[in-house]
Amino acid sequence: MLFSELFAVHLQQLKSGELSTAVEALIENAFAMNRSQFWIRKNQPVRDAAGLRKFRKHFARLLAHEPLAYILGEKEFFGEVFYVNPAVLIPRPETELLVEKALDLAGSKTLRILDIGAGSGNISVIMALKSAAQITAVDRSRPALRVLKKNIVRFGLQKRIRVMAADLFPKQNEPFDMIIANPPYLSGKEWRESPAGIKLFEPEAALLAGPTGTEVLARIIAGAPQHLTPCGHVLLEIGRGQLRAVRGFLKSARLREMDTICDYSGIARVVVACR
Ligand SMILES: C[S@@+](CC[C@H](N)C(=O)[O-])C[C@H]1O[C@@H](n2cnc3c(N)ncnc32)[C@H](O)[C@@H]1O
């Protein structure tokens, strides 16, 4: 069988062909090729039996709806490749908007940043790579913290990112110049209706906030003033239709909304507020 046939035969087994890039990525991974090598070798026969076994095993996982990022054990975010496993949310492109805004505000200042619900560490790592900030990355999930630590080592950022297991805020009362969070924000209904790839494989605790979806956002906003310096900022990723509720939480916490950024589908996705 030629590589082009291997590709075509497996692509046919997937619905609508939308996952052609996934099949290509699995072939490249199993046979240790990069994209251009795949295209150069596409009319050559597949001779590597171990590679073929690996590809078939991975393809069966793809057919069972497992996200490609978990199969490959990595996901690109903000141009960098992060180690991921099912203990952490797969970083989403919308979250790049949150990071872009945070980088904008941080400029070249040496800010103290708190990343709440750090997961794989995607936000903390990019902030550390692209600004002068010192970061405290918090997560409540021990398995997620193991992934986070692995990524910190992968990028050599042990001196810039401190890791803590905590329920939203660190116990000691030190102030932060910026709080960034992409917390769980799905409602019970949204979680139940999520596609199989999400519901069967991604951690429920990373996505489901509670019956309304705004429970964790409400707690972060209520606690933020106590953990912010006088001119500190809070930047939050929020879900579809949550802006109104979030504005109410900000008002109650006496935080001033500064900016709202919509994602590529026009949904208010990032809210920036200050003390
Ligand atoms: C939506 S994921 C975001 C992960 C990562 N920041 C990202 O952008 O991909 C939310 C994260 O918050 C963590 N989390 C949920 N509830 C928490 C809590 N009460 N305290 C700390 N972390 C929490 C979850 O374990 C998960 O890693």
Side-chain angles (χ1 to χ4, degrees):
M1 186 190 288
L2 306 179
F3 279 106
S4 57
E5 291 165 344
L6 182 72
F7 174 73
V9 163
H10 287 83
L11 189 59
Q12 271 170 17
Q13 295 178 47
L14 296 172
K15 267 191 256 155
S16 74
E18 74 205 41
L19 288 168
S20 67
T21 50
V23 179
E24 204 177 302
L26 289 186
I27 293 178
E28 286 161 15
N29 175 269
F31 297 95
M33 297 189 264
N34 60 30
R35 185 124 317 174
S36 40
Q37 287 166 331
F38 170 71
W39 286 104
I40 291 166
R41 290 178 61 187
K42 76 182 181 358
N43 291 322
Q44 293 176 11
V46 178
R47 290 212 178 89
D48 172 1
L52 193 58
R53 273 197 302 280
K54 182 175 177 185
F55 169 74
R56 290 202 167 122
K57 221 162 105 189
H58 284 177
F59 185 75
R61 290 168 63 184
L62 193 69
L63 273 184
H65 303 290
E66 185 166 347
L68 181 67
Y70 290 150
I71 301 173
L72 298 180
E74 58 183 38
K75 177 71 185 174
E76 192 179 319
F77 179 82
F78 225 98
E80 301 291 345
V81 177
F82 288 81
Y83 166 67
V84 292
N85 72 19
V88 294
L89 184 93
I90 299 165
R92 303 291 203 268
E94 301 89 277
T95 307
E96 294 188 348
L97 295 172
L98 179 73
V99 174
E100 262 168 27
K101 186 66 198 181
L103 286 171
D104 236 34
L105 286 170
S108 55
K109 298 187 281 288
T110 312
L111 300 184
R112 287 155 297 176
I113 294 180
L114 173 63
D115 175 12
I116 298 179
S120 62
N122 53 329
I123 296 174
S124 291
V125 165
I126 299 297
M127 291 307 297
L129 290 177
K130 297 191 184 288
S131 81
Q134 281 295 332
I135 295 147
T136 302
V138 165
D139 208 289
R140 194 171 58 171
S141 152
R142 298 269 171 190
L145 288 173
R146 284 196 281 277
V147 177
L148 169 64
K149 285 180 188 159
K150 211 165 156 172
N151 277 318
I152 291 172
V153 171
R154 184 176 189 147
F155 289 94
L157 291 169
Q158 296 91 320
K159 293 205 171 112
R160 302 279 307 286
I161 305 175
R162 177 173 61 155
V163 174
M164 277 187 195
D167 181 8
L168 301 185
F169 296 98
K171 285 193 182 67
Q172 60 271 44
N173 237 350
E174 64 183 291
F176 293 94
D177 304 297
M178 185 182 281
I179 295 175
I180 310 178
N182 170 22
Y185 55 69
L186 291 191
S187 67
K189 184 170 182 286
E190 286 168 326
W191 169 250
R192 284 191 298 279
E193 291 171 357
S194 294
I198 294 178
K199 222 171 116 188
L200 296 176
F201 294 96
E202 295 203 78
E204 181 176 330
L207 287 156
L208 175 64
T212 68
T214 54
E215 289 82 351
V216 184
L217 285 163
R219 285 183 58 214
I220 293 173
I221 294 169
Q226 258 173 279
H227 296 269
L228 278 176
T229 53
C231 300
H233 290 89
V234 51
L235 288 86
L236 301 166
E237 183 172 320
I238 68 169
R240 180 196 292 264
Q242 293 181 336
L243 185 59
R244 203 164 150 201
V246 165
R247 284 184 167 151
F249 305 146
L250 291 174
K251 201 166 165 207
S252 308
R254 298 178 178 227
L255 290 169
R256 187 166 55 84
E257 182 184 341
M258 287 176 56
D259 202 0
T260 300
I261 300 151
C262 291
D263 67 15
Y264 319 103
S265 333
I267 297 166
R269 189 60 73 185
V270 174
V271 174
V272 185
C274 63
R275 264 187 78 180

